[in-house]
Amino acid sequence: MTNLSQFEFRKQPWFDQEHFEGFNQAIPMKTIVIHCFDPRASEIPQAVANYFGDEVYPGENILDADGNRVGNTRTMFTVSNAGGRAFSALQSVATMDYLFHFEKVVVVHHSFCGATAFEPEHLIHSFHEHHHADIATLIDHDSMAILDFEQSVKHDLELLRNSPLVPKNIKLYGFFYEINSGQLTEIARDIPGENQ
Ligand SMILES: [Zn+2]
């Protein structure tokens, strides 16, 4: 078995954990996009990049002389989960704050999302019925389903703004994406220091 620890940054002789200043030199990441993992919504990151106009997506790998992947030109990282919910993305946002200096978190919910096919009570009841598990307190109730797109997007921006896992200086944007036309519509934004 190969010694897998050779692939860890902390084990590299040149890596200085005590003076780590982020990986932005390798990847100029400045935005996190949270969207649904529905394959019909897979063009969302590109639509967001086009909307802002100053993002690089998908970008390309940067290789050193030996062909090692030492960086990438992409500026936008994506988090995909059921519904594109902020609740599921909090761990990613907090981790990226350690690894990068970034500016924006973008939430995108999309038309005909599976999360609009039920209400929270249906999910809770179904789990109880089929798996004998009570999940009512395990997932933020308002993050279980999408009952109204405007409310779900605004809810997720508030969840991000109020979470200790999201740095207070981060700019938040919320969008609705129509999967058939590809149209992206801004629903809300929360920019620190600016009037709403
Ligand atoms: Zn969806």
Side-chain angles (χ1 to χ4, degrees), residues 121-138 144:
E121 290 70 26
H122 296 116
L123 182 63
I124 295 167
H125 180 75
S126 166
F127 246 82
H128 205 262
E129 196 83 347
H130 297 114
H131 312 299
H132 313 292
D134 181 9
I135 65 164
T137 60
L138 301 181
M144 286 186 182

Side-chain angles (χ1 to χ4, degrees), residues 48 51-54 103-107 150 153-158 160-161 168-176 184-196:
V48 171
Y51 183 89
F52 286 115
D54 59 352
E103 304 160 12
K104 293 178 195 146
V105 175
V106 178
V107 172
E150 212 178 307
V153 169
K154 287 179 176 172
H155 166 273
D156 279 15
L157 292 203
E158 281 170 28
L160 291 166
R161 181 55 72 213
K168 296 303 173 200
N169 62 316
I170 296 294
K171 298 170 185 169
L172 306 176
Y173 295 83
F175 293 91
F176 172 75
L184 192 67
T185 305
E186 186 173 324
I187 303 287
R189 62 169 69 185
D190 178 346
I191 313 295
E194 268 182 33
N195 293 325
Q196 303 298 302

Side-chain angles (χ1 to χ4, degrees), residues 36 38 110 113-114:
C36 186
D38 186 325
H110 71 93
C113 183

Side-chain angles (χ1 to χ4, degrees), residues 83 85 107-117 145-156 174-178 187-188:
R85 304 312 302 264
V107 172
V108 187
H109 296 169
H110 71 93
S111 60
F112 303 105
C113 183
T116 67
I146 292 178
L147 304 181
D148 176 293
F149 284 115
E150 212 178 307
Q151 281 177 24
S152 64
V153 169
K154 287 179 176 172
H155 166 273
D156 279 15
F175 293 91
F176 172 75
Y177 178 78
E178 210 293 290
I187 303 287

Side-chain angles (χ1 to χ4, degrees), residues 66-121:
D66 298 320
N68 296 306
R69 297 180 177 190
V70 294
N72 193 286
T73 60
R74 186 183 297 190
T75 62
M76 246 174 45
F77 279 15
T78 64
V79 181
S80 57
N81 61 48
R85 304 312 302 264
F87 176 81
S88 299
L90 288 171
Q91 178 264 353
S92 297
V93 174
T95 307
M96 287 308 98
D97 181 64
Y98 185 82
L99 297 179
F100 293 94
H101 306 290
F102 65 97
E103 304 160 12
K104 293 178 195 146
V105 175
V106 178
V107 172
V108 187
H109 296 169
H110 71 93
S111 60
F112 303 105
C113 183
T116 67
F118 59 92
E119 294 178 13
E121 290 70 26

